[in-house]
Amino acid sequence: MQGTRYIDETPTADDGDGLDPLEAARLLAQTKRDAKRQFNLSPPWVTAFGGAVILVGYGALWLSTRNQHPYSGPSAGAIVLVYVAVVGSIAVSAKIYQRATAGVSGPSVRQQRVEGVAILISYLGSPVIQGAMKHYGASHAIVYGVIPAAGPLIIVGTTVLGIAGSKADWPQFGAALTVVIAGTVALFVGPSAAWLAAGIGLCIAVAGYAAATGKRLGRA
């Protein structure tokens, strides 16, 4: 109709009501990074803390056995120290795991639980071999030195190696491979030095995994 004008009421960026596309993309990326950090079940600092616990524990075992001739095994005090440190580390990890998975369900969580059970079962391999060696009269150097120091690294390490390879989790794969190599070295350096080799290898593997995980979260 003559004299009637069409008024475009579509909001523009200048109206202040719209969200700039670049700002929206930045907020989305930030939200994604925050979510990944929140739901990450193995924060880098927890992994690094575990590496420190491992180094202290295996160092204590090595110090308690390095001057033994003949070899008789770690002292009771060193074993107690290791158990206390490990239990404390597990308690911290379990608390963080519970917070991260509270109200969360789905295939990924179930898969991680199954993997945890598989790793836990693989831990039984070393004590079984240790018991068999003792049954057949093997020396203390084998029963209380080489087997408990190197066995868990090789058995559990290969289990994690397979899990990491199936998921293409290369930081975890590299850490597991380092653990297996450390266990192999521990087999041939003597019953006392086996503890030191195992501790150093585990510490390197854990520190490397923590660094790789932190870098990956930083890029997310």
Side-chain angles (χ1 to χ4, degrees):
M1 215 178 140
Q2 187 175 4
T4 302
R5 294 185 301 169
Y6 174 75
I7 300 176
D8 186 0
E9 296 182 352
T10 304
T12 63
D14 294 336
D15 295 332
D17 296 327
L19 181 63
D20 180 65
L22 294 178
E23 180 66 15
R26 187 191 68 79
L27 290 175
L28 182 62
Q30 181 65 40
T31 302
K32 182 179 179 181
R33 286 194 296 267
D34 292 343
K36 283 191 174 183
R37 290 190 179 98
Q38 181 179 358
F39 292 105
N40 179 45
L41 301 184
S42 299
W45 74 266
V46 175
T47 309
F49 173 76
V53 170
I54 289 169
L55 189 60
V56 170
Y58 276 80
L61 293 171
W62 169 64
L63 289 173
S64 72
T65 59
R66 63 174 182 163
N67 293 321
Q68 290 181 354
H69 300 288
Y71 183 90
S72 59
S75 66
I79 294 174
V80 170
L81 175 62
V82 171
Y83 272 106
V84 169
V86 169
V87 169
S89 178
I90 291 174
V92 172
S93 300
K95 188 68 175 179
I96 292 175
Y97 180 88
Q98 288 176 353
R99 288 181 179 178
T101 57
V104 179
S105 61
S108 61
V109 175
R110 289 194 295 270
Q111 180 182 357
Q112 287 182 339
R113 289 173 180 169
V114 171
E115 291 170 359
V117 171
I119 293 172
L120 182 63
I121 293 175
S122 69
Y123 266 109
L124 300 177
S126 180
V128 169
I129 296 173
Q130 189 177 357
M133 293 295 99
K134 184 177 180 180
H135 175 74
Y136 288 110
S139 67
H140 283 188
I142 299 296
V143 178
Y144 302 113
V146 174
I147 296 299
L153 273 66
I154 296 174
I155 298 173
V156 178
T158 52
T159 301
V160 177
L161 199 65
I163 292 173
S166 67
K167 299 186 300 182
D169 187 339
W170 304 124
Q172 188 180 56
F173 186 90
L177 182 60
T178 302
V179 168
V180 173
I181 293 173
T184 304
V185 172
L187 286 174
F188 298 98
V189 294
S192 179
W195 295 110
L196 182 61
I200 292 174
L202 280 170
C203 187
I204 292 173
V206 170
Y209 181 73
T213 303
K215 186 176 180 181
R216 182 170 57 183
L217 288 175
R219 292 197 308 262

